[in-house]
Amino acid sequence: MIRRKNIRYACAIAVCSLAATVGAAHADEMVSAQELSDEISVVEEQQEEIEVFDQGVEKPDDEVEIEAYNHADASAGYRFVGVSDAGGRAAEYDYLHSSVTGDARLVHLGKDLKVDVDGAFLNRKDYAANLMFDYAGYYRLTAWTESLYHNLDHEKGDLIFDDPNPEERYGITTRQDMVQFRYKLHDYPIHLNLSHWFIGRKGSQQLRYADFSFDDFYPADSTDPVVSRLRSQSRRIDRSSQETTAGFDAHLGPVNVVYAFQYRQFDDDKSTPLDRYFVLDEIESVAEHNDTPESRYYAHTVKLFTSPAGGVTGAVSYSHGTRENRSSLATVRGADDASDTLQNAAGDFTYSPCAWFTTVLKYRHQEIDRDTPSSLLAPAISSSPIVLRQAMDTRRDIISANFTIRPNTVISFNGEYRGQFHHRDGTGTPDSADRWNLPENSDTHRGTLTVLFRPFKGLRIRGLYGYTTTNNPLYDSDPEQKHEGRLLASYTNSSRWGLSAKYLITREFNDHISRTTHPEEVTEDPLTYVLPGDRRYIHASAGLWVTPIERFTVSGNFGFLRDKADQAVLFAGVLNGQDADAEYVSQGEIYSVNAAYHATEDVDLSLAYQLVRSRSVFKPESSTSDGTPTAGVSTLSRVKTQEHSLSARVTYRVTKHFGCALDYTYRAYNNRLSSDGDGAVHAVTALLKTTW
């Protein structure tokens, strides 16, 4: 470190020496005043340079001055909501009541302290807020909360014989909270981590359940009363899940270590529905039904991984957890003895020998050991203990290998193989009463190849082909073979216009789906029906945006989805001959147009319109194999709807710090086959804004 005092002392000596030298030389030869002036100027310049250098050297006790960044903005207003008819399907995720509204944000970014807080309030059931706090990298806190309201349907019609609340509207509010805290030990490469997550659902929904018996609904004597009913009632919902995680991570030379303990609990604060079943023959016909059992889960997890830098990286992890059923049923006893033990292991290996080649190997392993009671006590169903079929223990292994080749900036290739190997204990044949009629082993192999092509600036093309095969599908809904293809293309021409397109097609087969009947008539033998399935899925979309004039942008988008399945179905399992071929088709189209105009430096305008058309139908053959007609089934399942959405917004900045905005939204739902669910929602929002 060069001290300022020593520099000045050295400069003074230099000046005095120069003056003495000039004085002595004056006796021998004449020195012009100009030359002396030049010498003094040189010394002064050197002194200034030394002083500047001295000022630029940072002393140990000096603090670097960093100007903090501060920003704040807020808006407040009122949202007027008008509803025509139902409105619940037109604005499915909107609380249909007028309310004050607004949003705010506060930012402070200093050298040590960094705080970012923002929030938005639409109504008392729809809001969001975020917090980010960091102090010098040692203390870091992030938190967020959000709430959303969901309007639910109230099914009506001739099929529901008993509905005590036919006019009640249903809906559920879902709220999520998350808090994460991270502490860094000052002089050690260790972090302590703590987090808490909460999700809660409150509201009401329609509960539909069957109090039904074939013997009662089709009595031998037509004069006997029919008590079988499809019943409906309102059910209050108050459920929550909470998860707490605590642990640490440490950097130990070439290896990083992570440990975490996780505890999760699900609670249902409302009692289980308790009703009388008229069709039960037992003396005690009052029973609980539609239970949502409480549960608890806790697990330990350890991870080891190397630094992501370098050509070779690896990671391994292991977790051991327990899941417990905390059912509190009164009319059914013994379910709370069920529990699961879960073990998960994973390993990753990445090798990048050069810039144009990368390969990744991954392995996943999971074991679930299920412990279930041998019997249950349910007096409403049986006076003696009910012997249970034991749950299946499962084991799953997943192996994947991925490679990426980038020979140049124009084209790149990516290929992947993924194999899944499942094993389940406790499976058997349909004739085995104590075992599950499911395959014991199932192996699935999937391969994909992706090509990314950039022939020139602005154009990007991506294509994918995948093939999947399974020897024994786990469930009938899983395919034996699956082909899928994807093609995506996008082009951008400077800042004037651009377009994008996507096409996806998938086809699935399963020719080994079967069902065995159990006829009620003792004279009929069980029959096994093969119900092959063939499903085709298409998804296509296209979009175009253009800026014809400065400050004005317009865009249009189109989306098309179609799902078609051809599969034989079995209408009844207690009768033979109730099979028939059937076709299910679901299709939807989406059209949208958007425009934005930056009229002046202070005025912004926007307009958007969207139309959604959807329809679906289930079409079985006109009759089953034994001649039973299926007339009316297709009519009951037919759906044809249209949804319109229109929004307009204008924003005006009155001054540098103040502004206002006006927003209008119109949404309508139109059932083309009936008036069920028809309705519209209008919303007008007026806001005042400020920024400082």
Side-chain angles (χ1 to χ4, degrees), residues 84-90 153-157 169 638-642 668-680:
S84 300
D85 296 329
R89 292 187 182 179
D153 287 339
H154 187 158
E155 296 291 344
K156 303 176 184 179
R169 293 188 177 183
R638 192 183 305 273
V639 175
K640 189 175 184 181
T641 65
Q642 282 190 355
Y669 178 89
N670 182 16
N671 190 336
R672 304 299 299 274
L673 301 178
S674 69
S675 60
D676 183 29
D678 284 355

Side-chain angles (χ1 to χ4, degrees), residues 266-329:
F266 169 75
D267 297 302
D268 188 352
D269 294 334
K270 294 297 183 181
S271 59
T272 302
L274 179 66
D275 293 286
R276 179 186 177 189
Y277 280 76
F278 293 93
V279 298
L280 295 176
D281 296 330
E282 301 295 331
I283 298 176
E284 186 179 346
S285 60
V286 176
E288 294 168 298
H289 58 96
N290 293 91
D291 180 40
T292 51
E294 297 181 338
S295 61
R296 180 189 295 123
Y297 174 78
Y298 46 91
H300 301 268
T301 302
V302 178
K303 299 179 182 179
L304 301 174
F305 60 94
T306 62
S307 173
V312 179
T313 60
V316 294
S317 68
Y318 172 78
S319 69
H320 184 280
T322 302
R323 182 170 53 211
E324 300 174 348
N325 188 326
R326 301 170 57 239
S327 174
S328 57
L329 292 175

Side-chain angles (χ1 to χ4, degrees), residues 185-238:
L185 275 68
H186 288 247
D187 298 325
Y188 301 94
I190 300 177
H191 296 91
L192 302 180
N193 304 302
L194 182 65
S195 66
H196 182 76
W197 171 77
F198 169 88
I199 183 171
R201 294 181 173 88
K202 289 186 177 182
S204 62
Q205 65 178 177
Q206 184 185 25
L207 173 62
R208 301 185 298 274
Y209 65 98
D211 184 8
F212 192 90
S213 170
F214 280 97
D215 293 336
D216 174 72
F217 197 72
Y218 302 104
D221 188 349
S222 59
T223 61
D224 293 341
V226 177
V227 297
S228 292
R229 292 289 186 272
L230 179 60
R231 304 185 185 277
S232 170
Q233 64 179 250
S234 299
R235 182 175 186 179
R236 301 302 169 187
I237 303 297
D238 189 358

